[in-house]
Amino acid sequence: MGAIAVEHLERFSKDQAVEDISTARGYRAVVAETGSRRVPRLRVVYPDGKMSVLSYSYLQEILYSNHQNLSLIFTSSVITLEGRNLWGLLDHLQTDRARILQCYDAARFPEAPGEGEPVILSIKRQSLREFTAGAGATAERAQQKELASPPD
């Protein structure tokens, strides 16, 4: 393997990925491109340090229910984020400019994120089938509860 290829691989190692977002500025939930440049892929750094790189071309929908929950629905999987002020991620995601998403880890980032800043506290990946089955089961439980409740 040539020196350039090795250098390229080293650049994207786990330590490098963490270093990309562990800057002197502290924790950032999202690393985004500035200007009008769109990125083809989104890197997701999970709490355990594992990563996945997903293509924006397979992103079908962004489901935003409140500032604490956001789901990225791809053709075969769903990435669910939980945290605070997640609305701050929407512009970057819907314009394909978010390059990296990561969880907050107090051990790596001793300084707490600023007030009003997006903070990702958990990231969960599910297959699309698991996600829709869970949503269907939740809707079914809500419907059963509604039917079991006496009318007012």
Side-chain angles (χ1 to χ4, degrees):
M1 194 179 306
I4 293 174
V6 170
E7 180 182 329
H8 183 71
L9 286 174
E10 289 173 355
R11 193 171 149 228
F12 292 101
S13 70
K14 180 181 173 188
D15 292 338
Q16 180 63 39
V18 171
E19 188 58 34
D20 280 352
I21 43 189
S22 301
T23 65
R25 289 191 271 169
Y27 171 78
R28 291 184 288 164
V30 63
V31 174
E33 292 296 324
T34 57
S36 61
R37 182 166 178 251
R38 297 170 70 157
V39 294
R41 291 178 177 71
L42 172 66
R43 184 185 323 163
V44 178
V45 182
Y46 298 92
D48 63 2
K50 291 181 182 177
M51 290 181 273
S52 41
V53 179
L54 303 142
S55 175
Y56 272 111
S57 62
Y58 295 107
L59 179 60
Q60 301 296 304
E61 180 179 357
I62 299 171
L63 180 61
Y64 176 79
S65 50
N66 59 49
H67 80 93
Q68 297 174 331
N69 298 287
L70 187 144
S71 294
L72 304 170
I73 302 172
F74 291 86
T75 53
S76 62
S77 62
V78 177
I79 306 295
T80 301
L81 310 175
E82 293 181 358
R84 299 187 304 265
N85 305 315
L86 297 181
W87 51 264
L89 307 176
L90 279 175
D91 279 344
H92 300 300
L93 291 165
Q94 71 186 20
T95 57
D96 299 354
R97 289 191 180 89
R99 190 167 52 92
I100 302 170
L101 295 175
Q102 74 165 345
C103 279
Y104 174 69
D105 179 359
R108 281 193 18 231
F109 304 104
E111 186 176 322
E115 187 68 31
E117 290 293 316
V119 179
I120 301 171
L121 299 173
S122 78
I123 300 176
K124 181 171 125 183
R125 182 180 180 144
Q126 296 176 287
S127 71
L128 188 56
R129 181 172 291 180
E130 291 169 326
F131 180 78
T132 54
T138 301
E140 186 178 324
R141 283 193 301 272
Q143 185 179 26
Q144 288 173 349
K145 184 177 178 181
E146 187 176 302
L147 291 173
S149 314
D152 291 333

